[in-house]
Each structure stands twice: as C-alpha cells, then as structure tokens.
Amino acid sequence: MTTREPLREPRQERSRTTRRKLIGAVVQCLAERGWQGTTVAEVAERAGVSRGAAQHHFPTREDLVVAAVEHLGDEQIAELRARAAALPAGPSRALPVAEMLLDLYAGETFRAALHLWVAASTDAGLRDVLLPLQARVGREAHRVAVELLGADESRPGVRETVQATLDLARGLGLANLLTDDTPRRRQIARQWATLLEPTVTATARPGAGVPGT
Amino acid sequence: MTTREPLREPRQERSRTTRRKLIGAVVQCLAERGWQGTTVAEVAERAGVSRGAAQHHFPTREDLVVAAVEHLGDEQIAELRARAAALPAGPSRALPVAEMLLDLYAGETFRAALHLWVAASTDAGLRDVLLPLQARVGREAHRVAVELLGADESRPGVRETVQATLDLARGLGLANLLTDDTPRRRQIARQWATLLEPTVTATARPGAGVPGT
C-alpha cells in the first residue's frame, strides 16, 4: 500500500493526459481518413500512446467515438458561451450571435462527426452508439442557442426558429466540407440576423410597432 | 451496312435501358453500402447487367457517379416543378412550397449524395469530380427555389434568404439521416413559411405596410 499511494496522483494525471491525446487523435483521424480508416491502433499511433494503453482506456473504436463526441460537444458549447459572454448587450449583438451560431459546424469537429453519421447510416452498431449522443449534443446546442439569442420560447414559432437556426448551421457546415464557403456564410448570417430579430427577440423591444407607446 | 442499320434503334434503346438500370443501382448501392462498398462490378450485379456492359458505359465508378448525380439532380428538379405547378396561386401557396423545398433532401438521393460528399472530403480525385457537379446542381436548385417562391432577388436580402432556405433543407436532410425526422421538419416548415413570406414575396403584396395605398 505504502509504495502505491504516492504514485496515485501522477498516475491519474497520466491517465487523463492519455485520454486527452487519444480523443484529439481520433477526431483528427476521422476527419482525415474517415470511419473506415479509424482503428484503435491507428489512433494510438497518432496519439503517441501504446496500443495496450489505448485499449485499456477504449477497448473498441466505438468507445473512442463516444468519448470524443461527448468531449467535443461539451468543449464547443463551452467555447461558444465564453465567446458570447464577451459580446456587448443590445441590438448590436444580433449579428455576431448569428455569425457564431452559423459558424458552429464549419470546422474539423463537424467534418469528423459527419464521417461518423454517414458511416452510421450503413452500420447499425455505430448507429445505436450515436443516436443517444446526437440527442444529447443536439439538446445542449439548442439550449445554448436559446441563451445566446435571448429567445423566449413560450412565444409561438420561436422554438422552431431556434431549431431552424441550428439546422441551417448544419447545412452550412455541409456546404463548407469541400470548399471554403466562409464569404457566402457571412452574407447569409447578415440576412439571418435581420430575419431572426423580430421573431426571436420581440419581447426585448416592448411596444415595438404600437405607435404612441 | 445493310445488316447493321435495322439493329440501330433497338440497340440505342437497349443502351439507354442499361444506363438507366446502372444509374438506379449506383444510387441504391451508395445509400446502402457507401462509397467504400460501391464498385462497378457490384453496381453491375445489382442492375442485372454484365460487368463488361457496365464498363462499356462507365469505365470507372467515378463516371457512374457523375452520371448518377446529374441524372438525379435533373429528375429531382423536374419532379419539384411538376408538383409545384399543381399548387394553387396566392398566399395559401407559401406553406406547401416551404414544405416541398424543405423535403428536398430528406430522401434516398440525398443519403447517397452524402456518402459521396463525405468520401470526397478524404479523396482528392472524387473531390475534383464532384465540385463542378455540386456547383451545377446547386445553381439549378437555387433557380427552382426562386421560381417556386416567386422571389424577387433584386431586393436586398432576398437572394441570401433563398440560399438559407436550401442550406436549411440540407441541414434537415442530415437530421433525417439516422431517424425519421418528418414531424419536426413539418413544424419547422410551418414557421419557415411565415418567416419567408414578408421577406421573399413582399412585392406580391403592393402597398403592404404603406397606409392609404
């Protein structure tokens, strides 16, 4: 016992570092080689971790994927919240919020996720792994979008407008897959901000449209 | 010459039938097995065509894909136009048009295309084949959306709103990949129709918002 105790902390730390490395490597591997080219051995090599250590943490590539999707979903939402917190309040906020939300799926994380989703459409095992994750990550994204937009979902149509914003963001992520679609996405975000404002944030402007109030 | 002439018509017909069968089979094969599982031999077998005949028409699987994407893009647009032509004119048209456009990518064709697009993100050869097709099919979809919505693109923001409609439709196609997302898509279409109307079709209501005209 006495010889093991002092090792405990560093071992846990080492373990966390290994997990982090493996999760980073699986995303890179999925984005570059797809689900077909993603094996625990390949991911271990990219992470600079022994195959045995990798399999200790993640016995199958499905386990790796669950950890990666959860970790990245959380990370993305946290980053979004942090960036949004730095924005000024008021109407000048609408455009940067629209841009942030529509950029949500324009990067490597979405590219990796897309490989998984498409592979899952022809692989029932992977599909069963991904469906509950999709639901959880989707709910979190919805929650943060409501928060950033200051949306009042008790008003009719607002919930669907927030959902449409995220579905639009995923469609734009797809359009960014083979080419850099950023300039077009920026123009759509500008228009989206003007479409969103009266629907989503109407309660923020009491009396708007009622002359004399 | 005299022995070949009488054969000409049936041979051309047979050739068209073979192409049609192969194109149908490649889409089914992509949707079920992905790009990885799609070979000329596999497609020929599904189509009930000899491998030699298949290779005569389409030497590589990339050739098959170009023909399939073009054919299906055209077919989809033609079907959309026909369905839209059957709709009544006037404001009652907004909802069915929104539903039609947002359903555009909810089927097997989009599932097959998605396999190709994702495979192309890690396959430079396929990417070079798909990029010009993506541009052409995208332009056609935009043109038909403008037509169905009765959109006046000379007004600011209208072009981006039409683009957003199609990007949203693609995002909804993605959401329909692993589960049947139809009920949620219907609710979004309902809200989308109300968001679209003032922006896209404002010129169809002359004097709207200007009291006394």
Side-chain angles (χ1 to χ4, degrees), chain A residues 125-141:
Chain A
L126 184 59
R127 186 174 167 277
D128 292 344
V129 166
L130 286 184
L131 273 183
L133 282 176
Q134 172 177 323
R136 204 206 116 198
V137 172
R139 268 196 307 274
E140 262 308 297

Side-chain angles (χ1 to χ4, degrees), chain B residues 13-87:
Chain B
E13 234 167 67
R14 227 172 29 242
S15 173
R16 269 197 298 271
T17 307
T18 303
R19 282 180 67 94
R20 248 199 315 272
K21 280 186 189 163
L22 288 166
I23 284 172
V26 74
V27 172
Q28 196 195 39
C29 191
L30 280 167
E32 284 173 21
R33 311 210 28 204
W35 177 240
Q36 210 78 23
T38 300
T39 60
V40 175
E42 168 77 22
V43 172
E45 199 190 311
R46 280 173 185 253
V49 164
S50 78
R51 193 170 166 167
Q55 274 173 332
H56 168 73
H57 287 279
F58 303 108
T60 68
R61 58 179 186 164
E62 280 82 0
D63 297 321
L64 255 170
V65 154
V66 172
V69 172
E70 286 193 329
H71 173 80
L72 290 166
D74 291 350
E75 206 177 48
Q76 210 172 20
I77 298 293
E79 193 197 309
L80 195 62
R81 279 212 171 94
R83 283 170 59 204
L87 290 178

Side-chain angles (χ1 to χ4, degrees), chain B:
Chain B
M1 285 296 264
T2 46
T3 56
R4 294 184 68 184
E5 280 305 311
L7 281 170
R8 217 189 194 175
E9 261 307 293
R11 190 181 283 159
Q12 282 187 351
E13 234 167 67
R14 227 172 29 242
S15 173
R16 269 197 298 271
T17 307
T18 303
R19 282 180 67 94
R20 248 199 315 272
K21 280 186 189 163
L22 288 166
I23 284 172
V26 74
V27 172
Q28 196 195 39
C29 191
L30 280 167
E32 284 173 21
R33 311 210 28 204
W35 177 240
Q36 210 78 23
T38 300
T39 60
V40 175
E42 168 77 22
V43 172
E45 199 190 311
R46 280 173 185 253
V49 164
S50 78
R51 193 170 166 167
Q55 274 173 332
H56 168 73
H57 287 279
F58 303 108
T60 68
R61 58 179 186 164
E62 280 82 0
D63 297 321
L64 255 170
V65 154
V66 172
V69 172
E70 286 193 329
H71 173 80
L72 290 166
D74 291 350
E75 206 177 48
Q76 210 172 20
I77 298 293
E79 193 197 309
L80 195 62
R81 279 212 171 94
R83 283 170 59 204
L87 290 178
S92 62
R93 197 180 149 89
L95 179 58
V97 164
E99 280 181 353
M100 272 185 198
L101 290 174
L102 298 190
D103 279 352
L104 200 50
Y105 304 106
E108 198 189 47
T109 307
F110 182 69
R111 184 181 304 255
L114 211 50
H115 276 284
L116 286 176
W117 260 249
V118 167
S121 77
T122 56
D123 178 332
L126 185 58
R127 186 174 168 278
D128 292 344
V129 167
L130 286 184
L131 274 182
L133 282 176
Q134 172 176 322
R136 206 207 114 197
V137 172
R139 268 197 307 274
E140 261 309 295
H142 187 91
R143 196 170 300 142
V144 80
V146 166
E147 205 179 297
L148 299 198
L149 291 165
D152 174 7
E153 290 200 305
S154 69
R155 295 177 55 231
V158 170
R159 183 173 169 72
E160 289 76 14
T161 304
V162 175
Q163 288 182 326
T165 303
L166 290 169
D167 286 299
L168 170 59
R170 290 184 197 106
L172 290 170
L174 208 50
N176 206 52
L177 189 65
L178 300 188
T179 48
D180 178 8
D181 193 43
T182 308
R184 195 183 71 98
R185 192 168 66 251
R186 285 281 167 279
Q187 290 184 305
I188 289 177
R190 188 170 294 274
Q191 175 60 7
W192 191 246
T194 69
L195 278 179
L196 277 178
E197 231 189 331
T199 314
V200 167
T201 59
T203 50
R205 301 177 305 155
V210 186
T213 58

Side-chain angles (χ1 to χ4, degrees), chain A residues 71-144:
Chain A
H71 173 81
L72 290 166
D74 292 350
E75 206 178 47
Q76 210 172 19
I77 298 293
E79 193 198 308
L80 195 62
R81 279 213 171 93
R83 283 170 59 204
L87 290 178
S92 62
R93 198 180 149 89
L95 179 58
V97 164
E99 279 181 353
M100 271 183 198
L101 290 174
L102 298 190
D103 279 351
L104 200 50
Y105 304 106
E108 199 190 46
T109 307
F110 181 70
R111 185 182 303 257
L114 211 49
H115 276 284
L116 287 176
W117 261 248
V118 167
S121 78
T122 56
D123 178 330
L126 184 59
R127 186 174 167 277
D128 292 344
V129 166
L130 286 184
L131 273 183
L133 282 176
Q134 172 177 323
R136 204 206 116 198
V137 172
R139 268 196 307 274
E140 262 308 297
H142 187 91
R143 196 171 299 141
V144 78

